[in-house]
Amino acid sequence: MTADPRAAGPSTAVPLDPALAPPGTRGFRDAGGIPADRWHADQNGETLVPTHCCFCGVQCGMYLRVDHGGKVFGVEPRNHDINRMRLCPKGINAYQQVNHPDRLTAPLMRRSRDEELREVSWDEALDFTVSEIRRIQREHGNDAFGVLGGASLFSEKTYLVGKFARVALRTRHVDYNGRLCMVSAAGANKLAFNIDRAGNPFSDILLTDCLLLAGANVGECFPVLTQYVWGARDRGAALIVVDPRETAVARTADIHVALKPGTDSAFFNAVLNVVIEEGLTDEAFLAAHADGWDEVKANAAQYPPSRAAEICGVPAEQVVQVARAFARAPKAMAFHARGIEHHTQGVENCLTVINLCAATGHLGKPGAGYGTLTGQGNGQGGREHGQKSDLLPGGRSILNEEHRRQICEIWGIEESELPAAGTSMMEMVWQMQRREIRGLIGICNNPFVSLPNYAVVKDGYDATEFHAQFDFFLSETAANAHVVFPVTVWAEDEGVMANAEARVVKHNKAQEPPSGVRTDTWVMCELARRLGAGDKFAFGGSRDVFDELRRASAGTVIDYSGITYERLEETGGIAWPCPSTDHPGTPRLFEDGTTYHADGKIHMQVVEWHPPADPYDDEHPMSLTTGRTVAHFLSGNQTRRLGALVEQTPRPWAEVHPSHGFRNGEPVRVVTRRGSEVFPALVTEAIRPDTVFIPYHWPAPTSANVLTIDALDPRSKIPEYKVCACRIEHAAAIDEVPAPPVAPGHVAYPETQVSRTDPLPPTAPQGRGTSERS
Amino acid sequence: MMGRTIFIDPGRCIGCQACVSACRECDSHRGKSMIHLDYTDEGSSVASLPTVCMHCEDPVAPCAEVCPADAILVTADGVVQQADTTRCIGCANCVNACPFGVPKIDLQAKLQMKCNLCYDRTAYGLAPMCATVCPTGALFYGTVEELQAERPGVQVADTFVFGESEVRTGVAMVVPAERVRWPVPGGLPVVEINGKDVRP
Ligand code: SF4
Ligand code: SF4
């Protein structure tokens, strides 16, 4: 293409007129979020820093654009082999967090919850925190203080969270928000294969002949993965989607099974039943590699398609179709996500999918296998190195004496000093309610929005005598704390994350943190030093921590010892296990059919379907299910501040079927046994008539988690976010629809803020089958 | 036929609006998106499709043809540029002339703005921002051969009929490949479930 001289590229003739800025970003720019000369910058002088998106488990590669002054001011796509230039709207706007005016730049503190938070010096905040830790532990024992980490942190930091809790605080109470994410899949994978990760790389999707997506809204939660899904379809692969809603990907599926929430294991047991009945099992594979097949087979006989049809509310034919399509395909893959994992039988749901893969021999081959899609950027890596209540680094069990000894040696402590296993995140909140846990440090998590049954969560946190929170924005949870430590965003530090393929990728530092802001690593080490454990926390930065992490993982299944920062930069990512520096990593598991169990077999597990925890009755006949929208991430603490994303999806809604007689935008009251809230209706045929969907990224009073139930899977302790009993009613007046509250500390975006007096939101929710013109 | 251009494949669009966000990031429109997303069957489906400037070839750019100020330039390679800021009088003739509803008017600035195929990027060999990031490939930038190599069997359409008139465009729509559709992918129709004939 020849450039026309008259058509010079970026025109410079128009003066920077604020009216030309898009709604939602103007306030941000005016407030200094982007340098005022953003559009006139001398772009030849900018530098591009290669890194990855901070959000979901795809971990798209991107460049951050850094100006002369060393400030991040934009994003440029990067041709990394995970995403090949693609980015979703969250990834494109992520850079705006870095210099966002809402950033916390000084520690905040108050001595009691009656006071306002005020800015204090680092010394004052650290001293107060340390004295409160000491006081609580002296009066009530070490276990009266807890730590809750996060799976958006780099792996180095998650390693440090586990070590800090156990070595500096000597408490057994440490857990993390990945508990709300994919622990059910982790539990199932451990039971079946004794390794906690997906079996295949994303690129295998392009080789498969049949792709089964169970409870995975790929289009909105892992958008960049869609290119692999469409790539498979281009090759002629059949696409099966199991989801109560017709999602963007389900719309194009060959078979869309719109089952009733909470019935997944009955459905997959029935699919296995048909596979067996029609003689489609791979008996040779099962004989050589599986254990427990006879029991699983006998159990499947209890689930004829007619029974599944009754339980799941889908035609029996679909069960047969899915069985044939999956079992007859030369290569088939199954991916699942929160849709089947967020249940009181989340682990079992995942096991039924694994049973299906094993029975049909679709494992350990290019284009054949299983995977789970992690919601958080480091959902995979976040639990590998000891942040989870029952795990030590390298996925070692805290209950196993040999494992405890190995870690104590590396940490330089006596085995008797290492605490026992703790409880899970939700259980810790219950313990806070019972005042068994009286002090808490939360590190980059926002349970006030993300945990179920908000009333219980608020009560638990309010009952604590001391609560400190690390964050870079004042989240709803941080606003409740006694001390808030302002820490770095991802682009201000370096470290690794493991994506949904268990591929470890390196994030690079693009900008110096604002003065007053410290890295989470620094804060944890400094607290440890003041608590008298400084010798065990003499880390200069992420590199030092990573070196210890590598040593601590050596010889385990989750072996990072061969992974170095330099190798990651060269290769663009290495999948663990990687036991030596000349080992290429392990993108695909079980290629020879052996699993990580001592006998090398797949341990198939019998699963009985049981109904969800919250029973239906005449007052609560429908299912409420919750999930994400493409523009927002988790509790929304990060994305509810970025203008373009706020504008794209300004508020939550209740998705209901036309049969209930609502008009689009009319207020609908959703009532569960925990509470009731009013949302604008999004009327669409893309949802089951007996089901309501609400996205969960907003705080009360427009919070899905005011309504959800805090029932847990007995094994993984994941909450049952995906189904509870509810009813819907017409709300009396239109002004009952509350506006989503503005994030604490939020700098206004005039154009996008929904005022409390607005009768209805200015726009309908986007991307869900309606538009702003409706 | 066409060289490197954008191909729109609505069958792939997931309505994520990455294209909209990306368009804002592109330097040539100063933070304003020139793409809009249409929801074609609201209330019954989640189907969506992006609209970018179609860069009409025949008749050459109706927007440019009706522009009284001669502000809209069509380059030798067929890219219809956004209005020249020194000429545009903000009369909105182009908005009315465009059969695809693309140009936008900024009334305060008295300026028309539209997608100019990221000329500042394409001139340097980069793909337009929207087609670079689109996670699904619903927006694809390249030649028709490159498209077909990636998506075997797809056809493209670059002619659109509006009543009596026909418009041939530089940007093309992807027509899905014929797929052999079995009632059960890779299998046979369901006849029996647990021994019972379920044929109607
Ligand atoms: S949120 Fe996920 S899909 Fe979107 S850009 Fe980030 S890593 Fe990629
Ligand atoms: S980025 Fe692609 S998939 Fe997303 S809305 Fe735009 S065209 Fe559709």
Side-chain angles (χ1 to χ4, degrees), chain A residues 1-4 6-7 9-14 17 19-23 25 29 38-40 43 65 74-77 84-89 92-93 95-96 219 223-224 226-227 230-231 233-234 236-238 246-249 251-252 254-255 273 277-278 304-306 316-317 320-321 324-325 328 630 644-645 647-648 658 683-686 766-771 773-774, chain B residues 4 10-19 21-22 24-33 36-39 41-48 73-77 79 81 84-86 106 108-109 111 113 116-117 119-124 126 129 131-141 150-152 154 179 181 183-194 198:
Chain A
M1 184 179 277
T2 44
D4 188 299
R6 281 189 300 158
S11 157
T12 50
V14 182
D17 178 354
L20 295 186
T25 56
R29 284 229 307 276
R38 159 69 175 90
W39 310 107
H40 301 279
Q43 276 147 30
R65 300 173 69 181
V75 64
E76 183 63 36
R84 314 160 196 203
M85 309 280 248
R86 318 296 198 194
L87 291 172
C88 83
I92 293 165
N93 291 292
Y95 78 90
Q96 294 172 13
V224 169
T226 318
Q227 61 176 318
W230 293 165
R233 280 177 58 80
D234 289 341
E246 189 199 75
T247 59
V249 171
R251 176 175 75 84
T252 67
D254 296 280
I255 311 171
N273 173 297
E277 289 286 308
E278 302 208 341
S306 52
E317 284 91 335
V320 182
Q321 286 175 332
R324 289 182 183 168
R328 289 184 182 189
V630 66
L645 300 178
E647 190 189 46
Q648 187 172 335
V683 181
T684 173
E685 286 164 24
Q766 296 296 289
R768 295 289 321 141
T770 184
S771 86
R773 286 177 301 284
S774 66
Chain B
R4 296 188 95 76
R12 295 183 170 237
C13 180
I14 53 172
C16 70
Q17 303 207 34
C19 48
S21 267
R24 285 183 168 134
E25 288 301 311
C26 171
D27 285 317
S28 51
H29 302 105
R30 296 152 207 261
K32 205 164 194 162
S33 178
H36 60 252
L37 207 64
D38 283 308
Y39 297 91
D41 196 7
E42 287 173 33
S44 59
S45 165
V46 292
S48 54
L73 166 83
V74 184
T75 59
D77 45 15
V79 175
Q81 298 284 341
D84 181 336
T85 50
T86 61
D106 189 305
Q108 264 175 307
L111 175 65
M113 294 178 124
N116 61 359
L117 209 73
Y119 213 60
D120 56 329
R121 296 175 69 85
T122 51
Y124 292 99
L126 291 170
M129 199 68 166
T132 308
V133 301
C134 171
T136 64
L139 292 167
F140 177 93
Y141 181 76
E150 213 180 82
R151 304 175 197 176
V154 294
R179 254 167 81 96
R181 283 204 170 263
V184 178
L188 298 167
V190 179
V191 176
E192 272 186 12
I193 295 176
N194 293 344
V198 294

Side-chain angles (χ1 to χ4, degrees), chain A residues 427-442:
Chain A
E427 290 170 311
M428 279 173 69
V429 173
W430 296 336
Q431 285 172 298
M432 281 148 60
Q433 263 190 315
R434 297 196 299 264
R435 300 176 63 83
E436 289 164 21
I437 293 178
R438 289 167 179 256
L440 183 81
I441 294 184

